[in-house]
């Protein structure tokens, strides 16, 4: 028997202005994408903006459905679009912002487990880390220098 300790390093910024200009701009695109979320059931709006190595920025938001499980999160809406349109591009950074219509979210909202798994696939495929930045509508921003930090013990192709 042995004990395994898994550690993750995250950086917490007190506000968006503490981040470099390119990240502020990417997060602003996530804010903008959040405005177009279709979330009549949860009323929880999420926007994601992905910066590719070819300079393109892909945005997405959550798309809900009366048949609840048929909906899709913002991150996967964006990343699958990126993968389908730019299969050879690498994903450099992802900015995510989430907020509900009933209150202003000031705490960082991390991507859900399914989205972490989806992002992990691309990080493994491209063999380069994807920087993830996430926040509520305002307030603290968390940076993870790679998706792997957010999903230890990832299920990947090596086990297939
Ligand atoms: N949602 C996202 O878009 N991303 C996440 O990482 C977590 C949850 C969406 C799904 C659903 O439309 C709403 O937020 C409430 O769960």
């Amino acid at each position: 028997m042995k004990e395994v300790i898994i550690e993750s390093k995250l950086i917490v910024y007190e506000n968006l202005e503490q981040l470099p200009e390119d990240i502020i701009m990417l997060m602003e695109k996530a804010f903008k994408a959040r405005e177009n979320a279709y979330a009549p059931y949860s009323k929880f709006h999420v926007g994601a903006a992905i910066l590719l190595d070819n300079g393109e920025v892909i945005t997405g938001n959550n798309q809900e459905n009366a048949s609840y499980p048929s909906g899709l999160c913002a991150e996967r809406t964006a990343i699958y679009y990126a993968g389908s349109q730019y299969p050879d591009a690498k994903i450099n950074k992802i900015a995510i912002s989430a907020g509900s219509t009933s209150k202003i979210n000031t705490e960082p909202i991390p991507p859900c487990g399914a989205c972490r798994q989806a992002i992990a696939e691309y990080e493994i495929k491209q063999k380069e880390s994807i920087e993830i930045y996430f926040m509520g509508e305002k307030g603290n921003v968390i940076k993870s220098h790679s998706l792997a930090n957010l999903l230890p013990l990832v299920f990947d192709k090596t086990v297939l």
Side-chain angles (χ1 to χ4, degrees), residues 42 44 46 62 64 73-75 110-112 115:
S42 73
F44 191 76
V46 186
N62 49 328
E64 297 186 349
C73 291
E75 298 89 327
C112 77
C115 288

Side-chain angles (χ1 to χ4, degrees), residues 67-83:
S67 170
Y68 293 178
S70 301
L72 194 63
C73 291
E75 298 89 327
R76 277 176 288 159
T77 301
I79 208 161
Y80 289 146
Y81 183 83

Side-chain angles (χ1 to χ4, degrees), residues 56-67:
E56 288 284 339
V57 174
I58 306 297
T59 61
N61 42 47
N62 49 328
Q63 296 294 314
E64 297 186 349
N65 192 285
S67 170

Side-chain angles (χ1 to χ4, degrees), residues 2 19 23 48 76 88 100 107 117 140:
K2 66 175 177 179
L19 285 134
I23 305 302
R76 277 176 288 159
D88 301 323
S100 86
E107 289 307 314
Q117 181 70 31
N140 289 358

Side-chain angles (χ1 to χ4, degrees), residues 40-142:
Y41 306 107
S42 73
K43 307 209 181 332
F44 191 76
H45 294 210
V46 186
I50 296 180
L51 177 66
L52 302 178
D53 67 348
N54 62 11
E56 288 284 339
V57 174
I58 306 297
T59 61
N61 42 47
N62 49 328
Q63 296 294 314
E64 297 186 349
N65 192 285
S67 170
Y68 293 178
S70 301
L72 194 63
C73 291
E75 298 89 327
R76 277 176 288 159
T77 301
I79 208 161
Y80 289 146
Y81 183 83
S84 65
Q85 298 301 309
Y86 301 98
D88 301 323
K90 289 187 176 174
I91 295 166
N92 287 345
K93 301 167 203 278
I94 305 181
I96 305 159
S97 165
S100 86
T101 48
S102 54
K103 64 176 172 94
I104 305 250
N105 256 319
T106 54
E107 289 307 314
I109 314 283
C112 77
C115 288
R116 294 182 205 196
Q117 181 70 31
I119 299 166
E121 182 74 25
Y122 293 91
E123 184 168 271
I124 293 162
K125 173 180 169 238
Q126 70 185 30
K127 300 189 183 80
E128 268 177 46
S129 299
I130 300 175
E131 283 178 19
I132 320 271
Y133 299 83
F134 54 91
M135 65 183 294
E137 285 176 65
K138 56 183 193 177
N140 289 358
V141 183
I142 291 184

